[in-house]
Amino acid sequence: MPDYGDHGLASGVLPREWILEAFTRGIITAEDPLADEQVQPNSLDLRLSRSGYRVQCSFLPGPEGLVSKLDRFRWYDLPIPADGAVLERNQVYLFPLMESVALPEEVSGRGNPKSTIGRLDIFTRLVTEYGDAFDATPAGYRGRLYLEVVPRSFAVRVRPGDLLAQIRFQRGEPLLTDGDTAEALDQQPIIIHRRGDAMHAADLRVASGIFLSVHLTDSRDITIGYRARKNTPPIDLRAPGTLSVRRHWERLYSQSSAPMILQPDEFYIFSSQELVRIPPAFCAEMVPFDAGSGELRTHYAGFFDSGFGYAPNGDPATSAAAVVLEIRNRDVPFLLEEGHPLFRVTLLRNTALPGIVYGAGSGSSYQGQRLRLSKQFRSTDDDDAPGQGRLDFAG
């Protein structure tokens, strides 16, 4: 068994140093040289290759294998030129990624959409050549990685090398038990109330993760959420800070006299009531769907690198970040209320402290966030002043 240093000896999520070493050892290979911005504290951003496929339906390769399934369900090839290709709403695409892996027998991988991609309502799932589960790269897997991509609310323009998904690598079981989670909550501020005080295990429901809730109440002229508009122009993933918010989103405002009723198959952005602060010894993940909380999906991008919302020498209440909730309701209208326990965050242990943490030289876009759209949208817009295009709660 190869020696990967101290970060390879224990169960947990492997840090960026292991990822960098994996490239030098040929455990991870790629069509193009590794870009610095790809390697995060606990994860690797994955790049689209130069062509993909429009397929008839989503599928898992299973024992038949991806190549054979693709022969049956591919509709047409989709080259991606340097100036990009547009992916249409509610169409299913499959892309080979630039990265391939030859994992050691004790190392597995787990995929997630990147935060920006989830906030654009782009559904992505990592696929392996004979995979029987999405987003799971089995221990010892050797082969190419693929990405299923389904834009839901907006058409998007993609180019070769675009970063839509990420993968983390782990040994054994990194998930903390409920007991270990409670102990971590009591030892250091990880969950912060919006009024500024740390929340301990006794203040929270801890059951296969930490239950957290949605934030809906604020002063009347403060935006507390967004609903995606329909039939908007394509979004260029490589054009940060250029798009008008109002052209693509309807703002939602706090209104205590009316309920917030989510409409079926609409896409919403909200933020969490509680703030999150992930110390370097841990990373975290959101549970993607919990029928006990309602018939809705509460996020697409659910991985938090070490250091998310964390500043070692700062006030925890100032550095801690809200969780942005990417909500798609399902079959029936659903009542959402302030403090509704809507999702869970699970803590994962790291095998070693990463050399850098989120927000400190890792190309982080959402450190210290509250309610935040994807980075393609302008942070301020004259046409987005409070009260413009108001959408009340009962809509």
Side-chain angles (χ1 to χ4, degrees):
M1 181 187 305
D3 178 14
Y4 302 119
D6 291 344
H7 49 252
L9 300 178
S11 292
V13 175
L14 293 158
R16 71 185 308 271
E17 288 71 25
W18 184 91
I19 296 171
L20 292 169
E21 188 177 349
F23 270 96
T24 66
R25 291 174 175 261
I27 295 170
I28 307 173
T29 56
E31 295 175 8
D32 288 355
L34 175 70
D36 290 342
E37 65 269 18
Q38 282 184 257
V39 186
Q40 304 301 322
N42 320 91
S43 59
L44 172 69
D45 293 345
L46 300 170
R47 296 170 292 183
L48 294 186
S49 191
R50 293 171 176 82
S51 64
Y53 312 98
R54 167 72 168 93
V55 293
Q56 179 180 355
C57 58
S58 173
F59 61 82
L60 282 166
E64 180 182 346
L66 187 139
V67 173
S68 177
K69 282 274 179 71
L70 197 54
D71 285 342
R72 291 200 289 136
F73 297 107
R74 175 178 56 196
W75 278 1
Y76 56 82
D77 294 352
L78 182 69
I80 310 178
D83 61 351
V86 172
L87 308 185
E88 301 291 346
R89 292 178 55 236
N90 295 317
Q91 307 301 313
V92 185
Y93 301 89
L94 185 69
F95 292 97
L97 296 170
M98 289 190 179
E99 288 73 28
S100 300
V101 297
L103 296 180
E105 292 299 323
E106 71 279 6
V107 175
S108 61
R110 180 75 181 167
N112 282 108
K114 286 182 61 63
S115 294
T116 293
I117 301 307
R119 296 173 203 219
L120 292 174
D121 198 18
I122 304 171
F123 192 45
T124 74
R125 298 195 284 193
L126 192 64
V127 181
T128 56
E129 291 178 354
Y130 292 91
D132 57 8
F134 291 114
D135 291 327
T137 305
Y141 174 73
R142 293 171 174 263
R144 193 161 193 175
L145 299 173
Y146 299 80
L147 192 68
E148 179 185 291
V149 180
V150 185
R152 298 298 311 276
S153 290
F154 311 113
V156 293
R157 179 176 293 277
V158 298
R159 296 174 176 82
D162 276 354
L163 308 172
L164 273 66
Q166 59 192 344
I167 187 172
R168 68 177 186 271
F169 300 97
Q170 62 189 50
R171 291 168 52 101
E173 178 51 74
L175 182 66
L176 268 65
T177 65
D178 288 347
D180 290 341
T181 299
E183 183 178 357
L185 290 169
D186 289 338
Q187 287 180 345
Q188 53 189 315
I190 294 176
I191 307 298
I192 310 293
H193 196 281
R194 285 205 177 221
R195 62 175 174 262
D197 51 311
M199 303 181 74
H200 302 288
D203 306 317
L204 297 158
R205 180 184 173 191
V206 179
S208 299
I210 307 163
F211 278 75
L212 300 179
S213 59
V214 64
H215 176 65
L216 297 177
T217 302
D218 218 315
S219 61
R220 183 175 174 85
D221 286 333
I222 298 297
T223 303
I224 52 86
Y226 298 89
R227 184 166 74 179
R229 296 184 187 274
K230 301 182 185 299
N231 304 311
T232 60
I235 291 174
D236 188 339
L237 297 184
R238 294 200 187 179
T242 61
L243 295 181
S244 164
V245 173
R246 191 179 184 193
R247 192 170 190 180
H248 289 80
W249 300 93
E250 295 172 289
R251 288 176 176 258
L252 308 176
Y253 295 88
S254 178
Q255 185 174 329
S256 59
S257 60
M260 167 58 87
I261 300 176
L262 305 186
Q263 299 302 318
D265 205 34
E266 298 278 358
F267 182 68
Y268 299 86
I269 296 286
F270 294 105
S271 64
S272 62
Q273 174 76 283
E274 302 82 6
L275 308 178
V276 175
R277 178 180 179 270
I278 309 296
F282 303 110
C283 50
E285 185 176 13
M286 289 174 65
V287 176
F289 176 74
D290 185 353
S293 296
E295 291 298 318
L296 69 170
R297 187 182 181 101
T298 55
H299 85 289
Y300 292 146
F303 185 61
F304 303 100
D305 277 300
S306 300
F308 177 79
Y310 178 87
N313 300 316
D315 180 1
T318 301
S319 64
V323 177
V324 168
L325 305 178
E326 302 134 7
I327 297 179
R328 179 170 288 279
N329 194 26
R330 294 171 75 90
D331 299 327
V332 298
F334 181 76
L335 174 64
L336 196 63
E337 298 179 284
E338 172 75 9
H340 187 130
L342 208 58
F343 66 102
R344 285 177 288 147
V345 169
T346 57
L347 294 180
L348 311 172
R349 64 175 54 84
N350 296 328
T351 60
L353 299 181
I356 61 172
V357 295
Y358 191 91
S362 61
S364 311
S365 299
Y366 304 111
Q367 184 70 313
Q369 69 181 2
R370 293 301 188 263
L371 180 67
R372 175 81 187 274
L373 293 172
S374 72
K375 61 187 177 184
Q376 284 76 21
F377 294 96
R378 295 195 289 265
S379 58
T380 59
D381 262 342
D382 290 339
D383 63 352
D384 291 320
Q388 298 288 329
R390 179 181 300 276
L391 183 67
D392 291 329
F393 271 12

